[in-house]
């Protein structure tokens, strides 16, 4: 057991849209990611996703609306709901989701990461 300093972990993240594993518990992963620009439209068949903004702001677009999240706020996207994260400026994000969650969900493309690194 060792404490985790989130700010120090983010110093090691240099790429956008590449989540890193910061911790594991009960089959869940705590992931850290830096966002900038648009991600792909996708959904997750079997997993809910929790997005917590550590620094900056970003929005999650749904087909019928957009939800802006500021530092200190989070949103849970239920399984099966199509969404697209978008960050106009750099945002730092903590994700909490099952270990089985693929970053691009039902979409497989050049941004799909099958194995995540630890930070």
């Amino acid at each position: 057991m060792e404490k985790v300093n989130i700010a120090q972990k983010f110093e090691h993240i240099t790429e956008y849209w590449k989540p890193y594993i910061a911790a594991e518990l009960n089959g869940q992963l705590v992931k850290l990611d830096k966002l900038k620009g648009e991600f792909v439209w996708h959904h997750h068949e079997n997993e809910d996703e929790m997005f917590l903004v550590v620094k900056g702001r970003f929005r999650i677009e749904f087909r019928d609306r957009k939800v802006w999240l500021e530092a200190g706020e989070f949103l849970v996207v239920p399984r099966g709901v199509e969404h697209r994260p978008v960050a106009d400026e750099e945002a730092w994000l903590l994700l909490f989701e099952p270990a089985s969650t693929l970053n691009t969900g039902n979409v497989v493309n050049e941004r799909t990461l099958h194995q995540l690194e630890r930070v």
Side-chain angles (χ1 to χ4, degrees), residues 60-108:
I60 299 182
E61 297 182 348
F62 301 98
R63 293 297 184 182
D64 63 343
R65 67 189 175 113
K66 299 174 185 175
V67 177
W68 281 95
L69 296 170
E70 308 282 339
E73 297 179 329
F74 74 87
L75 177 72
V76 174
V77 177
R79 67 194 75 189
V81 175
E82 191 175 31
H83 60 285
R84 176 175 74 162
V86 178
D88 297 326
E89 301 294 328
E90 183 177 276
W92 294 6
L93 194 67
L94 182 148
L95 298 123
F96 184 70
E97 54 199 13
S100 61
T101 306
L102 193 60
N103 67 321
T104 56
N106 66 316
V107 174
V108 177

Side-chain angles (χ1 to χ4, degrees), residues 30-48:
V30 177
K31 301 176 185 176
L32 303 179
D33 199 1
K34 287 185 180 178
L35 315 182
K36 189 172 182 182
E38 297 179 350
F39 201 55
V40 297
W41 282 102
H42 67 284
H43 71 272
H44 302 275
E45 284 294 327
N46 303 306
E47 304 99 354
D48 302 327

